[in-house]
Amino acid sequence: PHFVINVPSQNDALCFNIQEEPGVVLNLVEDQGLGIAVNGEIIGKKKIGNNVMSNETYFGKLGFVNREMKLRIEVTTETITIMLGKNKKEYTWEKTTSVKKKGLNLVIHKKNNMTLSFGEGAKFVIILHQFLKDDPLHMDFLGFYTLDDHKFSAHVHGLLGQFFHGIDYEISNVHKTKIPDKPDATMKVKNKLLTVTRGSQKDYRSDPRKGKKVPCWFVHSNAEGLIDGTHKDYIVPDIF
Amino acid sequence: NTAEPVNDIEVYSINIDCKVTSRFAHNVITSRAINRASMSKEAMFKVDLPKTAFITNFSMVIDGKTYLGEIKEKEVAKKQYETAVKRGQTAGLVKASGRKTETFTVSVNIAAQSKVTFELVYEEMLKRNHGKYEMFIKVQPKTLVRNFQIEVEIHEPQGISFLDAEATFITNDLLPAVHKSFSAEKGYVSFKPTLDQQRSCATCSTTLLDGDFTVTYDVNRESAGNIQVVDGYFVHFFAPQKLAGVPKNVIYVIDKSGSMYGRKLEQTKEALLEILKDTAEHDHFNFVLFDNDIEVWKPSLVKATPENLKKARDFVRQITDGYTTNINDPVLKAVQLLDEANALNQIPERSVSLIVLLTDGEANIGETEPEKIQENVKKANQRGYTLYCLGFGYGVNYGFLEKMALENAGIARRIYEDSDAALQMKGFYTEIANPTLLDIKMEYPENAIANLTQNSFKHYFDGSEIVVAGRIIDNDLNVFSVDVKAEGADNLLKYSENVQLQDTDGVSKKQEYIFGDFTERLWAYLTIQQLLEKRVSADPSEKEKLKKQALDLSLKFKFVTPLTSMVVTKPDEIEEETLVADKFVEAQAPSNWVDSD
């Protein structure tokens, strides 16, 4: 999956990929202060017969936990399941629905996206990317967007969460590469020097089909050097 | 204004020099520092300036060499910026800071024992609110400064009626450092604290100068209007006094969706209760609450009798949070309620009809397409009720609200999510609480003028001021006159003003002691602001035209507006670096995400 980190102070963005095997669950947000966690399970590598047709990996399942509310929400490309204590309720992407309980606001927009917010705090948007069942390359997958990042506690962590309170970096030594418009540069971040490449990723919130291009500095090697530790440190055993 | 010491950098002088002529403020902030270290060090210059101001110049003098900021079209500057990025500089000198301010920051390396002088110039037109003009200066020098001074000179040809200066950090020790005086046309405020007065305690080396320094004043008003002509440009200030209030009909369209749950909804209720307290008996009002459903308080608007106000307060107290956000239908409902009230003569013939929409988010149910909602509201609002949009909190789609408000003769305002949100809402209400004139039309000698700024206005609110400016093209004109027609509370009102142009030479000379071309610059400032505002709600072909006009003026008068940037070249050990100062523009909060393409 492609990660995009907005850096308003630099009027720019950072991006990176995390390559892992299907079935692996990654921790995206962990805020012990608010008792909120978000994990995502990787899918991908579509096969036809025994041939792997695509090596791309995506998020096919997202798990949201709000410990204070004793709430767990599982979002897949087919269903949305809300588990509140022992109660469990399942919704599909086929119908526009809204669910409101004290402090939980969930709106499903038919076959399109859902928004999820906990009280006055965190707000998330999940985009459903759907393809034809017999598409040789693509399979349905999910996009995950965080809003109101500032509302998380100072200790928020995770592959996305660690950037919620900003990141400082400096770019220097921009130089041409074989690919026009994709210069390489040196990024000074966390007292390390990384080689990064100018590129772009897409924001699908306003246009779920085409998306809107967002220029960014791409950090190679599973964001090594940019993220705290290595990406393996963010592998968790279960979606919850 | 700050010039932070970084390591051995001593900031020995900060001078904030403000000159106001006929509401137009020209501010120069100069900071001088010396590097006392034996090696080169970084000196930082940081200024908070009002969001309504336009930067006009910035310069740095290092070792006798001057580095000047150059104002360019944004696209041109952007190209230069891209080159800068490739050289390792990701620049952006202006950022959002407080509610009312944006921050300009630049840092530069200076050699051992060398001096640096930073100078930033910005201009703004002071707006009259609640019967006074307010000039706001952020003071934050971080360390004790040998020569620290703020000097404000005001020149108002109408004469100054009162002048005051306050600072949030003022103590008894600092009081003697503030001087304020005014007589006739001139006002003067100065603040020159000594080193000892700046200390946070007798033995401290820390400063207590940290906060807002505010100068407020108003002018004498012998007549409703005042015309000033300088160097071929005129400006007309119109603020009639002591008029009876025009009744108003207000529909409060209040978001009670799930995201308003908790403090936001409590603050909204608190503000509504306060607003109800201040509602005049001749006013009519109603509430439309919404989430995914619409709840209308009364089937039609009701008069603000004590009994109805009591019922309204009871209704407000019981508002609870609901589900999702449907903005389209409740706004259309408000329009429909006002249409019905007009058709059935339920509201006074001479009255102001307003819709106040308060929301904290984007529409996510019903019609969710922002453009479609704007189109629907514009189409439904045939009678042209004024729509005010209050965007509450960080997640709000402010651009959408702003366009919708401007398309319906209103304005949008942000309500910042904070402990004083209720006060902010109430504050906005008090600005629009007392309309005294409707449909104001200002007529100037048609063939003698050009480049007139907006000259017709839907409302005049007590304590505010209408400003119109333009250029006089008839060199032989002896008398410059204006006729103002407006609907008052009871009848049609007419005002006439005229000024003998021969007499203005004297005025012009007197005003020149401040700075010569202020009327022309005031005209340009006002014109650019109005063009930018019009652009928000214009159709695409018109948009380009408006953009071009605003851009040409921004470049001609050297204003950093949303269409221009200032390119600053600063020296570096290896090569010179290019930085860019842009005008900060309100946008939605950024987000982080993971997705695939």
Side-chain angles (χ1 to χ4, degrees):
Chain A
H2 305 305
F3 288 71
V4 182
I5 310 300
N6 250 300
V7 189
S9 60
Q10 305 253 24
N11 194 17
D12 211 335
L14 301 179
C15 49
F16 56 87
N17 288 350
I18 298 289
Q19 301 294 357
E20 262 304 333
E21 290 301 308
V24 164
V25 180
L26 294 171
N27 174 247
L28 303 176
V29 182
E30 174 68 60
D31 188 339
Q32 305 232 341
L34 288 182
I36 290 173
V38 184
N39 299 317
E41 185 181 318
I42 286 175
I43 55 165
K45 297 200 173 172
K46 194 159 184 170
K47 286 180 184 177
I48 290 186
N50 279 331
N51 298 325
V52 175
M53 302 299 288
S54 163
N55 272 321
E56 296 285 321
T57 55
Y58 311 98
F59 280 119
K61 192 193 275 182
L62 293 166
F64 296 83
V65 183
N66 186 322
R67 292 183 193 102
E68 210 172 288
M69 293 165 68
K70 296 194 171 83
L71 180 74
R72 290 177 301 163
I73 300 167
E74 183 187 273
V75 184
T76 71
T77 54
E78 276 157 9
T79 58
I80 295 111
T81 312
I82 302 177
M83 289 157 267
L84 192 59
K86 286 174 189 165
N87 300 322
K88 187 171 172 178
K89 192 147 188 194
E90 195 172 272
Y91 301 86
T92 72
W93 285 100
E94 298 303 310
K95 213 176 117 188
T96 295
T97 318
S98 76
V99 181
K100 170 76 178 65
K101 303 213 180 290
K102 269 284 184 249
L104 165 70
N105 234 309
L106 189 149
V107 186
I108 303 162
H109 296 106
K110 188 178 170 179
K111 292 182 180 173
N112 197 336
N113 66 47
M114 66 168 267
T115 57
L116 166 66
S117 57
F118 296 123
E120 291 179 64
K123 194 171 175 184
F124 309 108
V125 177
I126 294 115
I127 309 270
L128 174 67
H129 294 272
Q130 274 191 318
F131 297 90
L132 293 173
K133 288 272 177 271
D134 54 0
D135 189 304
L137 281 177
H138 301 103
M139 57 175 73
D140 294 353
F141 66 91
L142 302 170
F144 170 71
Y145 297 73
T146 61
L147 303 174
D148 288 359
D149 292 350
H150 61 282
K151 291 193 171 170
F152 287 90
S153 78
H155 307 293
V156 63
H157 211 255
L159 277 170
L160 278 176
Q162 62 187 287
F163 301 105
F164 285 177
H165 297 296
I167 173 129
D168 280 331
Y169 68 86
E170 267 176 50
I171 295 286
S172 60
N173 183 31
V174 181
H175 55 275
K176 279 185 184 164
T177 61
K178 281 176 190 165
I179 311 162
D181 301 331
K182 287 202 171 182
D184 275 358
T186 304
M187 174 188 281
K188 189 179 170 192
V189 63
K190 296 178 179 173
N191 287 323
K192 279 172 263 181
L193 294 175
L194 310 177
T195 298
V196 292
T197 304
R198 197 66 181 163
S200 72
Q201 290 297 352
K202 283 185 174 179
D203 176 349
Y204 288 94
R205 279 173 300 172
S206 52
D207 184 345
R209 299 256 166 256
K210 290 185 201 150
K212 198 175 91 185
K213 267 195 176 179
V214 177
C216 56
W217 286 111
F218 183 81
V219 183
H220 301 266
S221 311
N222 289 311
E224 210 176 307
L226 172 69
I227 55 171
D228 293 336
T230 73
H231 79 282
K232 297 271 182 203
D233 299 334
Y234 298 85
I235 296 177
V236 289
D238 192 74
I239 199 86
F240 293 126
Chain B
N1 162 269
T2 66
E4 284 178 37
V6 180
N7 306 320
D8 298 300
I9 300 288
E10 184 201 337
V11 179
Y12 61 93
S13 163
I14 292 178
N15 193 355
I16 303 171
D17 180 40
C18 310
K19 287 183 167 46
V20 185
T21 309
S22 301
R23 291 66 154 168
F24 197 64
H26 177 88
N27 308 292
V28 182
I29 297 181
T30 315
S31 173
R32 292 185 170 85
I34 182 165
N35 177 10
R36 297 220 180 271
S38 54
M39 57 171 89
S40 73
K41 293 275 172 185
E42 191 181 42
M44 184 185 266
F45 176 70
K46 192 173 163 196
V47 173
D48 275 350
L49 58 146
K51 277 181 184 166
T52 45
F54 292 152
I55 290 174
T56 64
N57 204 2
F58 173 71
S59 66
M60 286 183 286
V61 182
I62 303 163
D63 289 336
K65 192 177 171 195
T66 305
Y67 297 83
L68 269 175
E70 208 184 330
I71 292 170
K72 294 187 172 181
E73 183 182 352
K74 200 170 193 142
E75 294 308 311
V76 175
K78 214 171 163 184
K79 280 195 188 119
Q80 223 165 330
Y81 164 74
E82 272 160 21
T83 321
V85 167
K86 286 180 184 169
R87 282 212 302 263
Q89 248 320 316
T90 47
L93 300 180
V94 180
K95 288 168 199 162
S97 51
R99 293 174 187 176
K100 292 196 275 187
T101 55
E102 57 196 36
T103 302
F104 176 93
T105 321
V106 69
S107 63
V108 65
N109 263 309
I110 50 171
Q113 303 301 320
S114 284
K115 284 182 180 175
V116 59
T117 302
F118 298 103
E119 187 182 278
L120 180 75
V121 185
Y122 65 89
E123 292 178 345
E124 66 169 331
M125 193 184 86
L126 306 179
K127 257 187 128 179
R128 188 169 183 251
N129 256 329
H130 302 302
K132 62 188 178 199
Y133 306 98
E134 184 182 286
M135 172 174 239
F136 162 88
I137 300 159
K138 192 102 182 156
V139 176
Q140 245 177 340
K142 303 271 184 194
T143 54
L144 304 173
V145 179
R146 233 184 304 150
N147 300 307
F148 182 97
Q149 70 167 39
I150 298 176
E151 262 192 316
V152 182
E153 282 178 65
I154 300 168
H155 182 251
E156 288 290 351
Q158 283 163 278
I160 293 166
S161 62
F162 81 88
L163 173 73
D164 200 7
E166 276 178 11
T168 51
F169 49 79
I170 216 90
T171 60
N172 284 343
D173 290 343
L174 270 177
L175 267 178
V178 183
H179 294 277
K180 49 193 173 189
S181 64
F182 69 96
S183 73
E185 297 172 356
K186 290 182 187 176
Y188 178 75
V189 174
S190 76
F191 175 56
K192 296 177 187 176
T194 61
L195 271 178
D196 284 341
Q197 282 172 321
Q198 293 174 40
R199 287 181 209 283
S200 39
C201 71
T203 53
C204 296
S205 57
T206 50
T207 179
L208 54 78
L209 303 188
D210 183 2
D212 303 340
F213 190 85
T214 314
V215 176
T216 49
Y217 74 94
D218 199 14
V219 299
N220 294 320
R221 287 170 209 282
E222 279 156 18
S223 61
N226 178 268
I227 305 167
Q228 296 172 26
V229 182
V230 183
D231 291 342
Y233 281 82
F234 76 88
V235 57
H236 176 205
F237 300 104
F238 181 71
Q241 308 278 86
K242 292 175 188 156
L243 291 173
V246 176
K248 57 184 191 299
N249 319 303
V250 193
I251 312 262
Y252 300 98
V253 183
I254 306 294
D255 187 345
K256 58 154 199 154
S257 64
S259 51
M260 290 285 289
Y261 164 78
R263 191 161 77 148
K264 275 195 204 167
L265 199 60
E266 287 314 310
Q267 288 171 321
T268 303
K269 285 157 73 171
E270 192 188 315
L272 287 174
L273 291 172
E274 284 295 318
I275 288 167
L276 287 169
K277 258 193 225 166
D278 286 352
T279 303
E281 195 159 349
H282 62 207
D283 290 349
H284 286 72
F285 70 104
N286 202 349
F287 294 104
V288 176
L289 304 182
F290 70 95
D291 53 351
N292 39 319
D293 283 328
I294 302 173
E295 184 186 352
V296 182
W297 176 47
K298 296 283 178 193
S300 58
L301 279 94
V302 298
K303 198 159 189 266
T305 60
E307 193 190 338
N308 281 335
L309 287 171
K310 186 187 172 300
K311 283 182 191 161
R313 281 193 288 273
D314 293 342
F315 174 75
V316 166
R317 284 192 193 100
Q318 60 79 47
I319 299 174
T320 52
D321 60 307
Y323 299 86
T324 48
T325 312
N326 179 348
I327 292 177
N328 186 71
D329 298 336
V331 180
L332 295 188
K333 182 72 195 173
V335 173
Q336 187 200 333
L337 283 167
L338 285 168
D339 278 347
E340 284 169 7
N342 268 302
L344 300 169
N345 294 323
Q346 291 166 335
I347 48 179
E349 198 185 329
R350 280 175 193 279
S351 60
V352 178
S353 292
L354 315 171
I355 299 169
V356 179
L357 165 69
L358 177 106
T359 180
D360 75 332
E362 292 172 62
N364 53 21
I365 208 147
E367 181 55 70
T368 57
E369 200 60 50
E371 291 79 20
K372 196 84 192 132
I373 301 172
Q374 285 158 346
E375 194 185 312
N376 291 345
V377 172
K378 200 172 157 186
K379 210 164 129 193
N381 189 10
Q382 290 291 321
R383 282 174 164 267
Y385 309 125
T386 304
L387 173 65
Y388 295 110
C389 296
L390 304 181
F392 197 161
Y394 301 94
V396 77
N397 185 347
Y398 187 77
F400 154 69
L401 292 180
E402 187 185 28
K403 186 171 179 208
M404 193 159 70
L406 289 172
E407 280 178 343
N408 293 279
I411 53 164
R413 190 69 69 81
R414 266 193 190 281
I415 301 293
Y416 294 89
E417 218 176 317
D418 212 336
S419 54
D420 68 342
L423 265 176
Q424 296 173 51
M425 284 183 248
K426 173 78 194 325
F428 173 77
Y429 174 78
T430 48
E431 276 177 42
I432 59 159
N434 295 307
T436 53
L437 292 176
L438 311 178
D439 299 325
I440 304 110
K441 288 188 179 61
M442 315 177 83
E443 285 161 11
Y444 300 87
E446 211 172 294
N447 298 319
I449 58 148
N451 309 110
L452 188 66
T453 59
Q454 187 186 342
N455 67 329
S456 66
F457 301 85
K458 252 184 110 66
H459 316 118
Y460 170 75
F461 295 103
D462 194 33
S464 67
E465 182 176 67
I466 289 173
V467 184
V468 181
R471 194 159 62 88
I472 298 173
I473 49 171
D474 182 351
N475 292 332
D476 301 325
L477 200 69
N478 291 323
V479 180
F480 184 81
S481 59
V482 53
D483 291 318
V484 181
K485 286 180 197 145
E487 297 282 345
D490 307 309
N491 48 8
L492 180 73
L493 296 170
K494 286 183 185 172
Y495 300 89
S496 288
E497 304 279 345
N498 55 62
V499 59
Q500 296 287 329
L501 290 185
Q502 297 94 309
D503 293 350
T504 58
D505 282 356
V507 175
S508 167
K509 282 209 173 66
K510 265 194 272 173
Q511 281 165 343
E512 242 170 334
Y513 94 97
I514 302 267
F515 57 101
D517 55 354
F518 80 94
T519 312
E520 190 178 352
R521 295 191 71 79
L522 186 152
W523 164 82
Y525 173 97
L526 200 59
T527 307
I528 293 168
Q529 273 205 332
Q530 291 177 357
L531 289 169
L532 292 172
E533 216 172 82
K534 259 195 213 163
R535 195 172 72 116
V536 174
S537 56
D539 60 54
S541 62
E542 182 72 3
K543 227 175 211 172
E544 272 310 302
K545 210 177 99 196
L546 295 168
K547 181 183 167 181
K548 194 180 173 314
Q549 287 173 355
L551 174 64
D552 290 348
L553 282 178
S554 305
L555 290 170
K556 186 179 171 195
F557 288 88
K558 296 191 172 14
F559 284 132
V560 178
T561 68
L563 303 174
T564 50
S565 300
M566 184 171 60
V567 179
V568 179
T569 304
K570 70 168 189 174
D572 189 59
E573 276 163 19
I574 306 161
E575 54 184 327
E576 289 188 336
E577 286 180 346
T578 309
L579 306 172
V580 176
D582 282 327
K583 178 89 192 140
F584 172 74
V585 182
E586 286 278 7
Q588 254 187 292
S591 66
N592 296 323
W593 72 88
V594 49
D595 207 330
S596 291
D597 56 24

